[in-house]
Amino acid sequence: MVSAPANDASVVVEELVKRFGTFTAVDRITFAAYKGEVFGFLGPNGSGKSTTIRILCGLLRPTSGRARVAGFDVASNPEAVRQHIGYMSQKFSLYNDLTVIENLRFYGGLYSVTGALLKERITWALRMAGLEGREDSMTRTLSGGWKQRLALGCALLHRPPIVFLDEPTSGVDPLSRRRFWELIQQMASEGVTVFVSTHYMDEAEYCNRLALLMRGRMIALGTPSELKLGAVKGDLMVLEADSLPRAIEAVKPLPQVRDVAVFGNGLHLVVPDARTAAVAVRDAMAAAGVGILRLEVIRPSLEDAFVALTGRAVDSEQEAGR
Amino acid sequence: MNWRRMLALARKESIQIRRDWRSLAVVLLMPVMLMTLMGYGIALDQTDVPLCVYDREGSQLSQDLLKSFVSNRYFSLKLDARDYRQLVTAVDGGVCTVGVVVPLYFSKLLNAGRPATVQAVIDATDNNTANLIIGYTQAVVARFSAAVQLDYQQRRGPALGAPSLGLQARTWFNEDLESRNFIVPGVVALVMAVIGTFLTSLTIAREWERGTMEQLVSTPVTAAEVIAGKLIPYFVIGMTDAATCAAISGWWFEVPFRGSVMTLFVSSAVFLIGVLLLGFLISALSRTQLAASQFALLTTFLPAFLLSGFAFPIDQMPIAVRAVTRIFPARYYVTILKAVFLKGTGIEPLFAPMLAMALFAAAVGVGAVRGFKKTLD
C-alpha cells in the first residue's frame, strides 16, 4: 500500500461493502487517495464503479465499512461531504429545459457562490466548456461533449477540493474526450483530487493510479506501469499468423507458453522466457504448417494487464468455490 | 435553512413552469373547467319535474289546484290524463316523474269545511329526487290549502276549534334555499384540494424520473430548502386558481359573497399550503410520476368529495367516519368558505377551523421534509 502522511489523504476507504438485497455491488474495498491525484476506477459495467462513487458522494449508504471524504465520514456526515465535493453522474443530469447560463446560476445558488465570485466562476466555466456566446442556448440543444463540459462546469463552480466523475466521457466524440482529459489533468495540477471511472483502457493510462474493479471486488491497485509490469509475470509476445484458429491450436499445448489471448488480428502469448518460447513456437507452427507473419516481444499494455488480472481473479474465485 | 439555496430553487422552478406553458395553461384553466363541470353537474335542485295530472272532478277549485302546480318553476305539465290508467302508464313509462290525482267531491268536501285528500304518485327510482319532489308537492298543496282555509274563514268567520297554530319558518343565509349556494363553496374546496395536491405531487417524482435529482442531491441543499423553494411558485399559481374559483362562484354562479376578502385570502392560503405540502409528501414517497398522480387523486378528491360535508352532511355520518373527516383539511375549508360566502362571518369565529388547517399543513410539511431522502437507496 502507498504510505503518505495521513493529513494528505483526501479519501480513505476501509473494507467498504454495499449490498442491494442479496447482490453485493461493492465487496470489501480498501484504498486511499491523495491530494492532486487522478484516481481511476477501471472495470466492466456492473463492476461496482458507480456504486463506489455514489457512496463516496454520500448518495448511497454503505452496508458496512467506512469511507472518509475530505475528513468527513460519508455515512454519518454526508452533508459536510457534499460541501467539499463536485459530482458528475454517469447520466447527464442538468436541466434540459433551462439555458446554459440558467443551469450555471442555479448550481451557483445551490453552492452559495455569489456576487463577483459567481460571475468569475461562470466566465471560467463558459470558457472551459467552450460555450462562450451560447449562454442563452437551451441545454437540450447542446451536443454530448458540450453537455459534459457544462455539467463539469456546474460541478466545479464552488471549487471543490475533490471531484467525482462517473464515466464522464461515455458517448462523447474522441476530440471532446481528449479535451476533457486535458481539463482533468489541469485540475489535478491545481491540487484537486479527481476520481474518474471509465471502461476505456486508453483513458485509464492518464490516471496517476488505478483501481481495477471486477464484480464488486478490487482486484488490483497501482500506477498504470506498476499494473502492467506486475500483472504479466514473464514476457509478453505477439504472434501474427495466416490462420489464427490453427495458430491457437498449435501453441496452446506448448509447455513454454503459459497463456494465449486474442488481441486484434494477432495473439498475445504470456511466456516465462521469451528465447526458449520463440524456438518452441516456431517449431510448433512449422509442424502445423501455419505461416508466421510476426513474432516478437512487446511491452504489455494496460489491456494485457487487465486480461491477466481478471483471469487470475476468476481462477482464484473458482478455486475458492471448490 | 439557507435562503439563497431556497431562492435558487424557487427561481429555477419558476423558469421551468413558465417555459412549459402548455401545462401552465392547463393548470390555470383547470379551475374554470372543474367549477363549471361540478357547479352545473351537482345541482341538487329539481326544476321542471315532468308532471301528469288526472282531475276526476273538473271543478273550478280542482283546476285552481292544478294550476298552482304548473305556475312555478318546479313542475312542468306533460300530460292531462283522461283516466287513472293513462296516468299510471305515464309514470311507468317515465314520461312523468310525478302524477297528481284530484279526487271526486274535492270541491264539495272543501266547501263543506272538511279535509280532502289529493293523491300523488311518484317515481322513486332515484330516492333523493323523489324526496325533493315529495317536498315540492307538499309545499304546493300546503300553500293551496292555506289559501282555501283563509277563504273559508273569511266567508264563514273563524271556525270554532279549528287549529290556528302555524309555523312561520325563515331561512337564513340561503334565503332562496338555492342548493347551488350551498354546493359551490364545496366545489371550490374540492377544486383547490385536487389542483393543489396535483401541482406539487409531480415535481419531485419528475426530477427522479429525469435523473436531475441525482445531481441536485449531491449538492449541500437540504430537504426543507428543496420543498420550500419549490413551494413558492406553486403557491402563486394556487392562489391565482383560488381567485379564479372565487370569481366564478360570485359572478357566474351568483353565490352571495358576504364576508371579507381578507378572510377568504388568509383561509385559502392556509388551506393551499396544506394541500401543496401534501403533494410534496406524496411526491417524496413515490419516485414515479404515475404513482404520485394516482395517489394524489386518491388522497384529495375522494376525501374532499365524500368527507368534507360537501356532498353528504357530516352530522349524519357514523361516529367513526365523523372522526376520520377531522383529518382532512377540506372539511374545515368548506366550513370556512360557507361561512365567508353565505354568513359573512369574520376571521375570529373561524379561528378553530383555521388552526386545524394550519396543524394539517405543519404535520404534512414535517412529513414531506422527513420523507424526502437525499440518498438513492
Side-chain angles (χ1 to χ4, degrees):
Chain A
M1 285 257 44
V2 185
S3 57
N7 59 351
D8 241 27
S10 298
V11 175
V12 181
V13 174
E14 288 164 21
E15 292 285 308
L16 195 67
V17 175
K18 179 66 187 178
R19 284 195 202 92
F20 296 104
T22 56
F23 173 68
T24 306
V26 175
D27 195 0
R28 285 178 291 132
I29 286 182
T30 301
F31 68 87
Y34 303 95
K35 194 170 176 317
E37 189 170 32
V38 179
F39 193 99
F41 286 119
L42 182 65
N45 289 333
S47 57
K49 303 186 301 272
S50 292
T51 309
T52 308
I53 286 181
R54 283 169 169 177
I55 293 172
L56 295 180
C57 293
L59 298 179
L60 287 174
R61 298 177 64 81
T63 308
S64 68
R66 270 160 38 96
R68 292 174 75 79
V69 173
F72 302 100
D73 190 280
V74 294
S76 61
N77 201 354
E79 289 306 327
V81 168
R82 290 189 186 109
Q83 301 272 5
H84 295 86
I85 60 159
Y87 168 63
M88 212 179 121
S89 64
Q90 191 173 353
K91 191 173 161 268
F92 179 73
S93 52
L94 295 184
Y95 297 92
N96 272 319
D97 50 351
L98 295 188
T99 63
V100 168
I101 193 86
E102 283 164 352
N103 265 310
L104 286 166
R105 285 204 190 114
F106 175 57
Y107 277 96
L110 290 188
Y111 286 120
S112 303
V113 183
T114 55
L117 184 61
L118 178 64
K119 219 168 181 181
E120 181 201 315
R121 293 302 290 163
I122 287 180
T123 312
W124 169 84
L126 288 171
R127 193 178 322 125
M128 179 274 284
L131 282 165
E132 289 154 309
R134 297 203 60 173
E135 290 87 347
D136 296 322
S137 298
M138 207 55 87
T139 303
R140 86 167 73 79
T141 64
L142 302 179
S143 72
W146 268 325
K147 279 188 178 180
Q148 301 286 45
R149 289 195 297 269
L150 177 61
L152 182 67
C154 286
L156 296 177
L157 277 177
H158 57 306
R159 291 187 158 275
I162 305 168
V163 178
F164 294 92
L165 309 172
D166 193 1
E167 304 217 1
T169 55
S170 62
V172 173
D173 64 276
L175 208 68
S176 297
R177 267 175 62 191
R178 191 192 294 170
R179 195 160 160 201
F180 204 90
W181 274 95
E182 285 167 14
L183 291 169
I184 291 173
Q185 299 295 353
Q186 196 190 326
M187 273 194 286
S189 70
E190 290 165 8
V192 176
T193 311
V194 185
F195 276 79
V196 192
S197 72
T198 184
H199 55 248
Y200 295 117
M201 296 293 167
D202 56 333
E203 289 190 353
E205 298 269 7
Y206 294 126
C207 297
N208 297 127
R209 276 195 306 151
L210 276 175
L212 246 60
L213 299 186
M214 201 184 72
R215 291 182 213 160
R217 294 260 189 83
M218 189 170 81
I219 55 173
L221 174 71
T223 65
S225 45
E226 275 171 4
L227 289 181
K228 283 182 260 187
L229 293 175
V232 183
K233 295 199 173 91
D235 292 325
L236 187 71
M237 300 185 80
V238 65
L239 169 65
E240 285 171 24
D242 303 349
S243 158
L244 274 190
R246 284 170 57 207
I248 294 173
E249 253 173 61
V251 299
K252 204 154 194 178
L254 294 175
Q256 291 87 346
V257 176
R258 197 188 302 135
D259 198 17
V260 181
V262 180
F263 265 82
N265 53 2
L267 297 178
H268 281 195
L269 314 178
V270 180
V271 297
D273 177 57
R275 291 177 62 174
T276 50
V279 176
V281 167
R282 276 183 214 284
D283 290 350
M285 294 287 275
V290 188
I292 297 176
L293 303 177
R294 182 180 168 212
L295 178 65
E296 58 187 325
V297 178
I298 53 162
R299 281 171 53 86
S301 71
L302 207 49
E303 202 164 348
D304 293 307
F306 190 75
V307 169
L309 288 165
T310 50
R312 217 176 286 162
V314 169
D315 287 347
S316 67
E317 254 173 47
Q318 280 170 347
E319 254 161 52
R322 248 173 248 152
Chain B
M1 175 88 82
N2 176 318
W3 63 271
R4 216 184 279 284
R5 290 199 291 254
M6 190 194 78
L7 285 182
L9 262 151
R11 195 168 305 135
K12 172 229 125 193
E13 202 74 25
S14 309
I15 296 172
Q16 286 185 306
I17 292 169
R18 244 184 301 140
R19 219 151 264 169
D20 187 8
W21 61 270
R22 280 189 196 84
S23 306
L24 183 61
V26 167
V27 163
L28 290 178
L29 290 176
M30 204 143 71
V32 180
M33 212 180 67
L34 287 176
M35 284 290 291
T36 18
L37 204 68
M38 299 215 256
Y40 284 113
I42 317 178
L44 296 182
D45 292 321
Q46 288 282 330
T47 55
D48 296 320
V49 176
L51 170 77
C52 171
V53 296
Y54 173 36
D55 187 354
R56 296 189 68 180
E57 193 186 57
S59 67
Q60 181 63 43
L61 206 56
S62 68
Q63 282 299 309
D64 284 348
L65 172 67
L66 294 179
K67 254 182 221 139
S68 63
F69 267 99
V70 187
S71 63
N72 62 57
R73 65 196 176 97
Y74 297 112
F75 294 101
S76 124
L77 185 66
K78 291 284 180 238
L79 179 72
D80 195 347
R82 283 184 317 280
D83 54 32
Y84 193 71
R85 179 165 300 175
Q86 200 184 1
L87 178 129
V88 170
T89 313
V91 175
D92 277 355
V95 179
C96 305
T97 315
V98 57
V100 173
V101 184
V102 183
L104 279 170
Y105 313 116
F106 175 72
S107 55
K108 279 184 186 141
L109 283 170
L110 286 181
N111 285 328
R114 290 174 56 192
T117 312
V118 177
Q119 185 189 13
V121 180
I122 294 165
D123 174 2
T125 328
D126 176 355
N127 67 323
N128 216 6
T129 311
N131 275 327
L132 282 170
I133 295 172
I134 291 170
Y136 297 156
T137 314
Q138 280 171 342
V140 171
V141 171
R143 194 174 297 176
F144 184 80
S145 164
V148 168
Q149 210 159 11
L150 193 69
D151 188 48
Y152 181 83
Q153 282 169 355
Q154 277 170 352
R155 279 190 283 134
R156 295 277 177 98
L160 280 173
S164 57
L165 183 70
L167 175 69
Q168 281 280 327
R170 275 201 57 204
T171 53
W172 276 15
F173 309 130
N174 186 6
E175 292 80 355
D176 305 332
L177 289 176
E178 276 277 2
S179 71
R180 177 171 293 157
N181 290 353
F182 166 83
I183 281 174
V184 167
V187 174
V188 174
L190 185 62
V191 170
M192 291 304 296
V194 172
I195 293 180
T197 312
F198 185 74
L199 279 176
T200 47
S201 66
L202 300 180
T203 57
I204 292 175
R206 189 189 300 134
E207 293 220 25
W208 283 117
E209 269 184 17
R210 291 189 185 166
T212 52
M213 192 56 93
E214 184 162 346
Q215 194 69 47
L216 190 63
V217 295
S218 76
T219 73
V221 75
T222 66
E225 287 156 8
V226 171
I227 287 169
K230 279 174 173 274
L231 185 78
I232 293 170
Y234 289 110
F235 179 75
V236 173
I237 294 177
M239 287 309 280
T240 312
D241 282 345
T244 311
C245 285
I248 294 175
S249 309
W251 285 312
W252 185 258
F253 289 117
E254 297 181 329
V255 175
F257 184 79
R258 296 175 173 132
S260 81
V261 175
M262 195 59 203
T263 314
L264 182 66
F265 180 85
V266 172
S267 57
S268 298
V270 175
F271 178 70
L272 184 63
I273 290 173
V275 292
L276 288 173
L277 287 171
L278 176 65
F280 279 124
L281 176 63
I282 292 166
S283 199
L285 297 181
S286 50
R287 288 202 172 167
T288 65
Q289 294 190 67
L290 186 69
S293 61
Q294 286 179 343
F295 200 63
L297 207 62
L298 193 72
T299 51
T300 54
F301 185 79
L302 292 181
F305 189 77
L306 301 173
L307 302 175
S308 68
F310 149 57
F312 308 103
I314 291 173
D315 303 338
Q316 289 168 27
M317 292 175 184
I319 290 174
V321 178
R322 243 185 284 168
V324 173
T325 65
R326 292 185 185 281
I327 302 170
F328 295 99
R331 172 206 162 125
Y332 305 106
Y333 192 47
V334 167
T335 307
I336 292 172
L337 285 174
K338 280 180 188 165
V340 172
F341 269 94
L342 303 177
K343 296 186 194 169
T345 313
I347 205 158
E348 273 162 44
L350 299 175
F351 184 71
M354 213 79 105
L355 183 70
M357 293 197 306
L359 282 176
F360 175 83
V364 177
V366 169
V369 170
R370 290 258 173 91
F372 180 76
K373 289 275 176 293
K374 279 193 75 186
T375 55
L376 307 168
D377 300 70

